[in-house]
Amino acid sequence: MSSSEEDDFADLRRYFNETEWSSLAKAEKKRYRNVRRNHRAMLAIGLNSPVPAFMRKGRPQVSEPYNSEEDEWTPHLKRFPPAPRRFQSPTSRPARIPARRPARIPARIPARIPARIPARITASSQRGLTRRPTASTPTEQEGGPATPTGPPGEGHHSPLKPTASGRRLETQNLDYNSYHRGQNLRDRSRVSYTEEEEPKDDHYFFCEDCNDFFIEECELHGPPVFVHDTPAPLGVPDRAKLTLPPGLEVRTSGIAVAGLGVFNHGNTVAVGTHYGPYEGETTDREQAVESGYSWLIYKDRLLHDYIDAKRETHSNWMRYVNCARNDEEQNLVAFQYKGGILYRSCKPISVGEELLVWYGEEYARDLGIVFDYIWDKKSSAKDVNESSKFQIYSCPGCLFSYTSQIYLHKHIKRCHQEEYVRLLGAGEIRAESLEISSREDILFCDQQRAVIT
Ligand SMILES: C[S@@+](CC[C@H](N)C(=O)[O-])C[C@H]1O[C@@H](n2cnc3c(N)ncnc32)[C@H](O)[C@@H]1O
């Protein structure tokens, strides 16, 4: 890059003033350009890429040059939470899936899951952390370090981990422990950091248009739009339905086996519309795991609550929102805001369309929810009528279900040997079509036997 190109920072003018820019070394300027280019490239191909710290609005102005390790952690930059995660295609997961463990609670949550408890409990991906210089002595609680030696937060979690706000605590700890600071050969003063929970790490909204966080209002699009619940006294029968905001209704879901769901019957819901908070009773882990209606709410790194909407008398309409089975279907994102769970529309929701949020892969799996493993754009469920055409093929031996019979048969072949042999004998399965390719994401269940290939 020529020096005039280097000095022309029009592309990065949003993020630096002239003084800051001129104080940067050539390599640092190049690096910021690369970071921005990579971030955009990842977004362009549909990957979840947290907005690099220097590109976030509201970053504090600095009086010294930016640290070139900013992408990992820059002490003088305030850290902002990573972008909320969206539906993650099951095909992006490793082919082999751990057997189901009944005690797991999904953090219905992407980690914010909007992280769910392996039964719909998840951690908030909208978590940001700051650190302050101090000595660090790791202590253990819930299997994780109280004062992790490495930085958590954005940019360091695998984008393939399940959670939009639904990351599991174990995953977080793993990330802390496995984090290694990049080597920097340049002179710099070294300090050791103890992690300090940024007190307002769930005080951010996210603008779907700018792909950026904001606190009170987005610079370009203003304050967040909220649709409020209809007030209803706590404890009255059917309270959850009474709280439905105007324009929404509860009726049989377009997903064949899902029970009730929430539909838009008012005007088209614009992108960036907020609902919530999710209402329910604070409960313990055991009950949350059993419920099917709980979210995990992070209070700080080590403490969390479980909010359970099982009782219709003590919850709101959000308990009826079902889980999207694929990217196309998802029109709501769950995230943690000020200690509660909000849903935000991530695409326009037409009249007649069902509201569908992503619970987090693990939680959904624990609930036996069907994913579209062989998602075909041509037959995508764009509306309720189409989605109700889905044929569900359920495994007689476990909870897993598929939208393709051949995938169900492959699952039976893999996990339920006796049933497989029986179906073969009865002529209900034809062995020749059941080769399992390494690219196929066939679920293992806890009744898994020998793998027959
Ligand atoms: C939070 S509740 C949603 C409301 C629920 N449908 C009802 O009638 O009360 C979660 C439960 O709905 C069902 N569910 C949600 N999404 C589903 C999906 N995509 N496929 C199948 N069942 C689903 C599961 O039984 C799950 O335990």
Side-chain angles (χ1 to χ4, degrees), residues 163-347:
T163 72
S165 74
R167 195 180 58 224
R168 293 167 54 202
L169 196 59
E170 300 89 277
T171 307
Q172 293 172 13
N173 294 336
L174 184 67
D175 285 348
Y176 301 149
N177 293 336
S178 62
Y179 175 80
H180 295 294
R181 205 178 170 80
Q183 246 189 337
N184 182 2
L185 299 180
R186 262 173 290 155
D187 284 341
R188 48 183 279 156
S189 53
R190 288 285 173 187
V191 282
S192 72
Y193 294 98
T194 289
E195 192 169 58
E196 177 186 48
E197 196 75 24
E198 186 176 295
K200 296 179 172 47
D201 66 352
D202 65 353
H203 283 207
Y204 297 93
F205 291 107
F206 185 78
C207 176
E208 292 285 339
D209 294 318
C210 301
N211 198 23
D212 210 348
F213 290 93
F214 63 91
I215 293 185
E216 280 171 7
E217 58 177 64
C218 167
E219 277 175 24
L220 291 180
H221 303 97
V225 173
F226 266 87
V227 173
H228 296 287
D229 286 10
T230 302
L234 209 61
V236 298
D238 233 3
R239 194 236 180 209
K241 285 185 193 145
L242 296 176
T243 64
L244 269 168
L248 298 183
E249 67 177 338
V250 170
R251 58 180 161 89
T252 305
S253 170
I255 300 170
V257 290
L260 296 175
V262 179
F263 291 80
N264 175 22
H265 79 147
N267 299 318
T268 298
V269 174
V271 174
T273 303
H274 290 73
Y275 299 100
Y278 190 88
E279 288 181 358
E281 297 163 282
T282 304
T283 183
D284 58 20
R285 182 182 171 87
E286 205 175 314
Q287 195 177 324
V289 172
E290 293 298 320
S291 159
Y293 292 84
S294 4
W295 282 98
L296 180 146
I297 300 199
Y298 282 84
K299 294 163 85 177
D300 61 35
R301 174 159 306 288
L302 297 169
L303 294 174
H304 43 258
D305 274 341
Y306 302 97
I307 181 146
D308 182 12
K310 191 165 187 174
R311 286 210 290 170
E312 292 158 32
T313 47
H314 289 74
S315 53
N316 67 354
W317 64 275
M318 293 170 79
R319 75 188 293 282
Y320 292 109
V321 177
N322 287 317
C323 180
R325 296 164 297 181
N326 57 60
D327 199 7
E328 297 271 320
E329 271 188 356
Q330 182 187 359
N331 48 30
L332 294 177
V333 172
F335 66 101
Q336 184 171 322
Y337 181 75
K338 294 195 175 177
I341 297 292
L342 302 182
Y343 291 173
R344 178 186 68 243
S345 57
C346 54
K347 54 179 75 149

